[in-house]
Amino acid sequence: MSLTLTSFAEISTPVVHDHPRPDRRERGNPLRSTWNHYERNGVSAGLWACEVGAWRIAFAEGKDEFFHVIEGLIRITNSHGEARTFGAGQACVIPGGFTGLFEVLEPVRKHYVLIDRGGIQAAPQAAL
C-alpha cells in the first residue's frame, strides 16, 4: 500500500463555514472557517480560522485536540475559572472531557490535529 504525504500548502481543500451553537454562545456569533486537509482512522488535521467572539466548549471523552496558533489571540478558560492565552507561535492540547470557555480575542488562524478514539478514556492529562 502506498501512502501519500499531505501538504497543507499544496491542497485546495474546500472551506466549511459555521457558527457556535446558539445555546453555547457567550459573546457575538463569530464565523468559523475550517479547511480539513486530512482525515483517517479517527485523526483529522487542517486549518481553522475564526472571528472575534466567545462560546462554551465541551470536548467528548476520548477526543483530544492539538493546535498551533499561526496568527491572532485566543483565551481558553476551564470550568474552574483558570485561563490561558495563546498567540502566534504558541500551541496547546485540549484534552477529552475538557469543558470551559473558548474566546477569540483577535481574529485567529491555527493548525489543528483532532484525535477521536471513539469515546475511549484517555490517559490523565495535566490541567489547563
Side-chain angles (χ1 to χ4, degrees), residues 11-58:
I11 294 179
S12 282
T13 302
V15 61
V16 174
H17 297 290
D18 72 344
H19 297 271
R21 290 181 6 199
D23 62 322
R24 291 193 176 182
R25 287 185 208 140
E26 292 290 325
R27 188 173 66 254
N29 186 22
L31 177 66
R32 305 183 298 193
S33 303
T34 304
W35 294 264
N36 195 38
H37 294 295
Y38 177 85
E39 189 146 353
R40 183 173 179 202
N41 298 329
V43 175
S44 58
L47 178 67
W48 184 84
C50 187
E51 300 173 339
V52 171
W55 61 96
R56 285 173 282 137
I57 59 173

Side-chain angles (χ1 to χ4, degrees), residues 46-112:
L47 178 67
W48 184 84
C50 187
E51 300 173 339
V52 171
W55 61 96
R56 285 173 282 137
I57 59 173
F59 271 60
E61 288 294 338
K63 188 170 188 174
D64 303 316
E65 178 185 353
F66 165 84
F67 67 80
H68 178 262
V69 177
I70 301 165
E71 61 186 35
L73 188 66
I74 63 172
R75 179 172 46 226
I76 303 173
T77 305
N78 67 21
S79 58
H80 301 292
E82 300 162 332
R84 299 282 296 273
T85 303
F86 301 93
Q90 295 181 308
C92 176
V93 172
I94 302 173
F98 181 89
T99 60
L101 183 68
F102 192 98
E103 297 175 89
V104 178
L105 305 172
E106 297 174 5
V108 70
R109 289 171 37 97
K110 67 178 184 166
H111 286 122
Y112 69 87

Side-chain angles (χ1 to χ4, degrees), residues 95 121-127:
Q121 180 73 25
Q125 305 278 332

